[in-house]
Amino acid sequence: MPVTYDAAKKIVFVDYTNMKPAELMAEAQKVHQEARTRLAGQRFKVLVDITGVVMNTEAVQALKASTKRTGSMIEKTAVVGVTGLKKVLADAIAKFSGTHTKYFGTKDEALRWLTEA
């Protein structure tokens, strides 16, 4: 499973690196379902790594739907691995879900932003 949790910092780490659309959709559905179950009633931050991910229209629609259902639980989201067209797609997902999202070149930069006051 590509998810780990840091309960002390209330951060969910999601690693989708190098996933193809079908795998990405299946994993995203699992991740979001687990978050709704395991973290119900909590607010948390998310660090997502999408380096090397391949997206298509179906994957984007599935991610929009999943993130919309968990959006109210998310304080802010840091995304690593956004390049080229993926930024347009990531922006569409973030805008639809209503989450405060920023893009970073490294996981360290993303983690610093998530943990700042």
Side-chain angles (χ1 to χ4, degrees):
M1 188 99 181
V3 177
T4 56
Y5 299 93
D6 182 330
K9 294 179 183 174
K10 292 191 174 193
I11 298 176
V12 176
F13 298 92
V14 183
D15 185 1
Y16 292 137
T17 57
N18 299 315
M19 289 188 182
K20 304 292 185 246
E23 182 183 14
L24 176 64
M25 289 186 298
E27 288 300 325
Q29 183 176 359
K30 287 181 205 173
V31 166
H32 289 272
Q33 179 59 44
E34 183 178 338
R36 286 189 304 273
T37 302
R38 185 174 177 179
L39 303 170
Q42 298 181 51
R43 299 255 311 148
F44 55 91
K45 301 166 190 164
V46 181
L47 194 160
V48 181
D49 189 346
I50 61 169
T51 303
V53 163
V54 177
M55 288 193 186
N56 61 17
T57 303
E58 188 179 6
V60 171
Q61 293 305 320
L63 288 169
K64 284 168 67 175
S66 291
T67 56
K68 182 69 171 177
R69 289 191 297 271
T70 55
S72 64
M73 300 169 66
I74 299 171
E75 188 177 323
K76 58 185 178 178
T77 303
V79 183
V80 177
V82 177
T83 56
L85 181 58
K86 275 197 283 187
K87 182 169 183 334
V88 173
L89 300 174
D91 280 343
I93 294 165
K95 194 170 286 188
F96 186 81
S97 69
T99 60
H100 179 63
T101 303
K102 282 186 76 171
Y103 308 108
F104 297 90
T106 69
K107 288 180 186 176
D108 288 339
E109 292 170 338
L111 190 56
R112 269 194 299 279
W113 178 71
L114 286 174
T115 56
E116 66 187 23

